[in-house]
Amino acid sequence: MKIQLRINGRTKESDVEPRKLLAYYLREDLGLTGTHIGCDTTNCGACTVLLDGKAVKSCTVLAVQADGCDVMTVEGLEGEDGLHPLQTAFWEEHGLQCGYCTPGVLMSGYALLQSNPQPSEAEIRSGISGNVCRCTGYVNIVKAIRSASAKLAGAADDTPSESAKEVAASGKKSD
Amino acid sequence: MFPNSFEYMAPTTLAEAVELMQRHEYDAKVLSGGQSLLPMMKLRMAAPPILIDINSIDELRGWKEESGFLRIGALTRHSELENAVELRDRYPLLAETAVWIADPLVRNRGTIGGSLAHADPASDWGAAMLALHARVEGIGSGGERQIPMDDFFVDTFTTALEETEIATAVLVPKPAGRTAGRYLKIERKAGDFAIAGLAIHVVLASDGTVAEAGFGICACGPVPLRGKRAEEYLLGKKLTPETIDDVSRMVPEDADPEDDLRGSAAYKRDVLRVFAERGLSDIAKELQGEGVVG
């Protein structure tokens, strides 16, 4: 089946088999291997991407269902100026060890900060509850998201015309 | 992993979908949020030759209040009901339940119609819709019909919907007074299926007596079950510590749990009793103020 979608801002056209899952389409057809496949059974969240702005498990969406949609993968976080503040925060706060779950956690964290720029710790924990990390644990992941939230708010203060949300949406580094 | 090959169709109108369902009958399966169906297909527990994806049918989206009930379109995502601030006052059980379904990622995709049509014994929506005395609206070759929740779940993964019918909406009756709802669920880990779940819906009349009572139980039987004894007992009574104590002992009587890896039947019954007591005490505080009428 022919599909056309926007991935990280670029339009892609492909011919895919209906049974191909979005995660496999991203990795195999487009070479976007930042999206990881962990459990492949809708449990772990390693494959999380944004589909029309909503965080979803891409192992549980057919590629044909993304026809006409806007998809954002972890590769879309980095801007022209380098890593996104959320990515920098994971680096600084040691929010990862093996890194396997990280792309998914980043996308869930990004979606959370889009809808709730100043989340409480409880809201962060609930926001990433669909993402399983088996080595770092969640303490540093939560710290990293809090730190990114503060950075993005700071960036918003510097540019009063933009809300933190818009800064986050621009995918640019804040400093 | 990938499912068996299938033919994919994505109608944009309900009429078109109904026509496809009639043409393909047994071979066709409706794809809604896909958060249960796609994993089952990947694990080859399901292998429908034809998938009819209803996600492009706009008429199945959203909700509106009509005469006597709230009509929730089958394609409404769990996260939309979780965040629907305008429904909090009159339909509190919707957000109370939605937030317990799986995790935020699944809630962004899964739908209320798909969840009910899937008929999992641990269906959170199943328990809530029983408590709310809701009806499922379906459409097929014979036109539209409404199925009361009590008749909807036939058996595990089996509903009263015919092979060629599509669930189009859930109809939740408008409460006739001050309303409160609680959904209590215990799970082994965040986002898991329930070990036991209990949905409670209470409406008080102006004299403080219970005008509507609903109890929906999940993960404690082949299908979600209604706490009939508790409902009948509570009608017309006030929420006092004594009635709450009585009712909490009746709820497990309508459950039919089994021993399994999630716990023993006796444990699940006891969880339901505790949930009924906690949920009703909370509701009493909310509707009657701090001091429960003694």
Side-chain angles (χ1 to χ4, degrees), chain A residues 116-139:
Chain A
N116 181 2
Q118 299 290 309
S120 64
E121 179 172 339
E123 287 168 336
I124 293 173
R125 286 183 178 273
S126 150
I128 59 166
S129 62
N131 297 82
V132 175
C133 168
R134 288 288 87 129
C135 50
T136 311
Y138 303 98
V139 171

Side-chain angles (χ1 to χ4, degrees), chain A residues 1 17-19 21 24 40-42 45 48 51 54-57 59-62 64-65 108 126-127 129-131, chain B residues 1-6 8 31-35 38-39 42-44 51 53 55 103-106 108-109 189:
Chain A
M1 272 187 75
E17 218 189 328
R19 63 173 167 165
L21 279 312
Y24 287 83
D40 213 348
T41 49
T42 330
T48 304
L51 184 66
K54 302 277 185 198
V56 300
K57 293 174 180 173
C59 79
T60 315
V61 177
L62 298 169
V64 289
Q65 291 188 287
S108 277
S126 150
S129 62
N131 297 82
Chain B
M1 287 195 289
F2 45 92
N4 271 358
S5 292
F6 53 84
Y8 175 81
L31 174 63
S32 187
Q35 301 301 286
L38 291 176
K42 288 166 74 177
L43 294 166
R44 311 290 171 112
L51 270 194
D53 183 353
N55 282 277
D103 59 57
L105 307 166
V106 169
N108 276 338
R109 193 76 193 149
K189 61 181 176 65

